[in-house]
Amino acid sequence: MNLTTLPVIDLLIIFGYLAGMVIIGVYFSRKNKSADQFTTASGKIPGWAIGLSIYATFLSSNTFLGVPGKAFGSNWNSFVFSLSMPLAAWVASRYFVPFYRNTGEVSAYTHLEHRFGAWARTYAVVCFLLTQLARMGSIFFGIALSLQALTGYSMESIMIVVGICIIIYTVMGGMEAVIWTEVVQGVIKTIGALIILALVVKGMPGGVSHIIEIGQADDKFSLGSLIPDFTQSTFWVVLLYGFFMNLNNFGMDQNYVQRYHTTTSASEATRSIWLCVYLYLPVSLIFFIIGSCLYAYYQTNPELLHQVQMQVVMERLPNGSTSELNQLASTLSAADIGDKVMPHFMVNKIPAGLLGLIVAAIMSAAMSTISSGMNASATVFSVDIYQRYIKPDLTSTQTMRLLYIATTVFGLLGMLTGVAMIGVKSVLDIWWMLSGIFAGGMLGLFLLGMIAKKAKNTEAVIATIIGILVICWMTFSKQIPDEFAALRSPFHQNMIMVIGTLSIFLTGVLITKFKTKS
């Protein structure tokens, strides 16, 4: 099976989109004569374009595919993550944007060395780079999952082709190409989401009222339990996780911090954050609605539901007999097949011409986040590792060469991480878990440096070590043998981000207060 399974019109749209992204990279390559241009576009991008690009980075293929899969498999509990964004955006626009604009440092982590020493900066950089690899890997995996169903190509091959296109335009065009391609990609994927929603509703017998009826019967619209229980994914667990994760995104993530320097003023940077929030909140809700609509659609089309179930069981038991496959299919829950439903619907129910646009939308959802991740990772590696520890006196030509090489290497590493993720149950779950682990310590240390003005190096070291131990305990507590089950963490995995951050921050504050009193 190959790409000829797609109609010619769809192929033309897909290849036209990929060619357009590369052309944008070639166009902006003429401007890339300095590291400042490559990393911050010389600070001349309008705020509305930055807002659209931040929105496009948020709206990754994890949202495009993982969110409908999550809504199909459970409910709207994960939408609470989006509801936490306005509060995190307010904190970022009030405190973080002026802070970064005043420092003038392109790296988000240089400040940590001024506060606590080189170890703090290096620790944050390592956490950031691991977070980026987890993000890029999960997005490569998500796009390969959907395009495999459409093209018949292996997931590895899809990751390589898409990855090469991203590397070309990101390396050639730098940050300016990343931003303007994201503006285009943000528009394409929003249109794609609306088209999918319209097609599902149109194909549903009984229309919207029947979708609501089925959704209410199976509790598909719930935002989670309001009980103050932190051992399961309640409303409060996702709200806390979302607040801390979005605070990390807006306040510590190089992807976003770097954009604050690409605008002409601090007020423009602030406007870009709020534009992102105003766009992301309703559009992320659309993806949850799509998941609920798909659930109702497949409940009323049991033959299509069975096809998806058989697709999943054949991946799990490739050599199983018919009776074994049917038996396993009967045990699958909605959560087991959630990520497969959207690609299946696209293959079977989206007409020629529109399918190419939807594929381009999914590719744009992946490419926008990966390209910004590659550029940010290369910037951090160049400024915080290579020029800090290996060769501080680089010439302009050497700096540009380093940025080109680093961008390419991080793109390739992201691809390899995606390949390693093949077979995971929920792409959204794996991303949330990995990002929470790596980002928790980084945000806790940063907040300690910004808020606790009297905290010094010793307090920060002790607090970070305690925080890392807490994060490791919560992450790996399931591996603790049954005889020591009482030592396992009782908290839901999304609380790793919350408790890890607070462990570092509060420990540092308490030690500082104790030292000043004694």
Side-chain angles (χ1 to χ4, degrees), residues 169-408:
Y169 80 72
T170 308
V171 168
M172 294 187 74
M175 179 52 87
E176 196 162 2
V178 168
I179 289 169
W180 288 113
T181 52
E182 285 182 336
V183 169
V184 175
Q185 289 159 347
V187 173
I188 290 173
K189 54 186 144 184
T190 306
I191 293 170
L194 293 171
I195 290 172
I196 292 173
L197 179 60
L199 289 171
V200 180
V201 173
K202 184 182 177 185
M204 180 72 188
V208 175
S209 59
H210 196 197
I211 291 170
I212 294 172
E213 184 185 322
I214 293 173
Q216 287 178 333
D218 291 349
D219 197 30
K220 287 291 165 183
F221 305 126
S222 169
L223 294 176
S225 170
L226 292 175
I227 298 170
D229 178 3
F230 301 102
T231 63
Q232 52 188 322
S233 189
T234 60
F235 177 93
W236 305 111
V237 165
V238 180
L239 186 71
L240 283 169
Y241 170 81
F243 173 70
F244 279 89
M245 197 69 226
N246 284 315
L247 200 61
N248 180 76
N249 288 336
F250 287 132
M252 278 251 19
D253 192 319
Q254 182 70 21
N255 280 296
Y256 306 95
V257 172
Q258 200 164 323
R259 285 176 172 82
Y260 302 157
H261 295 288
T262 63
T263 59
T264 52
S265 66
S267 60
E268 282 286 287
T270 298
R271 266 191 223 106
S272 71
I273 291 177
W274 284 110
L275 177 59
C276 166
V277 174
Y278 297 147
L279 289 170
Y280 186 80
L281 254 173
V283 174
S284 66
L285 178 59
I286 288 171
F287 284 101
F288 281 95
I289 294 171
I290 289 171
S292 299
C293 291
L294 285 170
Y295 178 82
Y297 182 87
Y298 276 77
Q299 291 301 307
T300 55
N301 291 277
E303 72 285 354
L304 294 177
L305 184 64
H306 184 67
Q307 287 176 19
V308 181
Q309 290 171 336
M310 293 306 292
Q311 182 185 338
V312 172
V313 298
M314 286 178 74
E315 288 177 6
R316 294 189 185 181
L317 289 175
N319 300 315
S321 64
T322 304
S323 60
E324 287 174 329
L325 293 174
N326 286 326
Q327 185 179 358
L328 180 58
S330 65
T331 65
L332 293 177
S333 66
D336 292 319
I337 63 173
D339 278 353
K340 301 287 187 183
V341 173
M342 177 97 112
H344 183 271
F345 180 83
M346 289 168 58
V347 171
N348 292 282
K349 298 298 173 182
I350 294 181
L354 283 179
L355 184 55
L357 181 63
I358 301 298
V359 172
I362 292 175
M363 293 174 94
S364 68
M367 294 169 86
S368 58
T369 310
I370 293 171
S371 62
S372 60
M374 285 165 54
N375 187 283
S377 298
T379 302
V380 164
F381 176 81
S382 169
V383 174
D384 295 301
I385 295 179
Y386 197 88
Q387 292 183 58
R388 173 65 181 79
Y389 294 107
I390 300 170
K391 193 173 181 183
D393 54 342
L394 288 176
T395 65
S396 178
T397 305
Q398 289 172 329
T399 304
M400 289 301 295
R401 189 183 303 126
L402 173 63
L403 287 167
Y404 290 148
I405 294 170
T407 304
T408 305

Side-chain angles (χ1 to χ4, degrees), residues 139-149 154-156 158-159:
I139 290 166
F140 268 120
F141 167 74
I143 189 174
L145 187 71
S146 60
L147 296 187
Q148 181 191 39
S154 69
M155 292 174 76
E156 293 89 343
I158 292 164
M159 289 186 207

